[in-house]
Amino acid sequence: MTEPLYFLPGTMCDSRLWSPLWAELNTLQAKLSVDYDFIHLTIPVENTIDEIVETLAKQLPKEKINLLGFSQGGYLASAFACRYPERMKRLINLSNAPQQLPYEEIATRSKIIRWVETHGYSGITLARIRTFLHASQQANTDITDCIKQMDHDFGANALLQQLKSTTVRQDLILALTSLTCSMLFCYGDSDLLVDGKFFAPLLTTNTNISVEVFNDCGHMLPLESPLLLAKAIIRFLQTS
């Protein structure tokens, strides 16, 4: 039996984000009674998160689905689940606490938008990439080159569109506490964009939620720790 598992990427990320993770999942899912079909979703080009969610609702099947999102995609997957709980079987959120962005990240995004609109865009800097990675991975060229290439292929217009449409976010914690689908949240212990305190009230109010913290890992969880992440996802699929 085959069952789809949909993947929503993060800002300036495409299906290359998933390559290491999918390789590990394909090896491990032999243990499962269900054969999962991994399907990459492109984030719709819209002006607001509400509009993005509504477009996804038109694109995705009406029956209950398995939906995984990373970073920006994690927020969007959570927002979709809160808007359409009747259409969710499982939610997997990677490297994202579904709430307002930290003030520092909002300020950084505002600076990037102003700079690109004034001076153009020559690509993500290595310094910016390193803020997303654990210290042990900052010299890993397989990861940094992948991030650079995805960013280059999207370009300035995509960067501006994605930043402007997804920076304003609502806190989804209350909506998540009432969901009945199985939910898994994963994040790195060195992720500067995820506040681990967000998950404590979820764990105490909703038994359908589980959280996995990955040691020595930053924001780019699918690239930094694909094997351990794949094992966590397989465990979740087996038990949920």
Side-chain angles (χ1 to χ4, degrees), residues 56-106:
L56 287 171
K58 296 174 183 176
Q59 296 174 350
L60 290 166
K62 296 298 187 290
E63 63 266 18
K64 290 181 181 293
I65 62 170
N66 305 299
L67 183 58
L68 178 152
F70 163 75
S71 191
Q72 170 183 275
Y75 183 90
L76 294 171
S78 298
F80 180 91
C82 293
R83 182 74 60 84
Y84 296 100
E86 73 282 0
R87 294 170 62 176
M88 292 299 299
K89 184 174 184 179
R90 298 183 184 92
L91 169 66
I92 303 174
N93 183 319
L94 310 180
S95 303
N96 176 263
Q99 59 184 345
Q100 294 177 336
L101 288 172
Y103 171 79
E104 294 79 5
E105 177 62 14
I106 294 175

